[in-house]
Amino acid sequence: MKNMQLYIGGVNDITYRYDIQKAGDIFNVRIFSVVNRKHTEAGTKSMHHITVQDVIDECLSHYRRKAHSFRCLLRWLHII
């Protein structure tokens, strides 16, 4: 595996695209927020000495954290 794109989405129209590139034993992940078909870079991450499955699990974890914080914000705004 050299390059891979992973799309994760579904909660409150939150979708992220993860561009994963492998160079040796290093995975470089560029994170994009996808809103109305526009891809805006949201960050990068480098991971060393891990498997492809661990990289995918980390991307899923990132998505879950962002979706959960967004849901909490929506609940808080609804209470006011």
Side-chain angles (χ1 to χ4, degrees), residues 50-61:
I50 61 174
T51 66
V52 174
Q53 186 60 47
D54 291 335
V55 173
I56 293 170
D57 290 343
E58 182 62 30
C59 293
L60 286 168
S61 176

Side-chain angles (χ1 to χ4, degrees), residues 8-9 11 14 26 29 36 45 47-48 51 62-63 67 69-70 72 74-75 79:
I8 303 174
V11 176
I14 298 171
I26 300 171
V29 181
N36 295 329
K45 186 167 189 169
M47 294 174 257
H48 307 268
T51 66
H62 171 265
Y63 171 75
S69 64
F70 186 72
C72 288
L74 288 178
R75 279 191 217 127
I79 292 173

Side-chain angles (χ1 to χ4, degrees), residues 3-19:
N3 298 317
M4 179 174 76
Q5 283 189 346
L6 177 65
Y7 283 83
I8 303 174
V11 176
N12 297 322
D13 293 329
I14 298 171
T15 302
Y16 283 94
R17 182 183 94 207
Y18 301 90
D19 288 345

Side-chain angles (χ1 to χ4, degrees), residues 32-45:
F32 295 87
S33 176
V34 181
V35 178
N36 295 329
R37 297 184 183 165
K38 288 180 130 181
H39 298 240
T40 306
E41 189 163 354
T44 60
K45 186 167 189 169

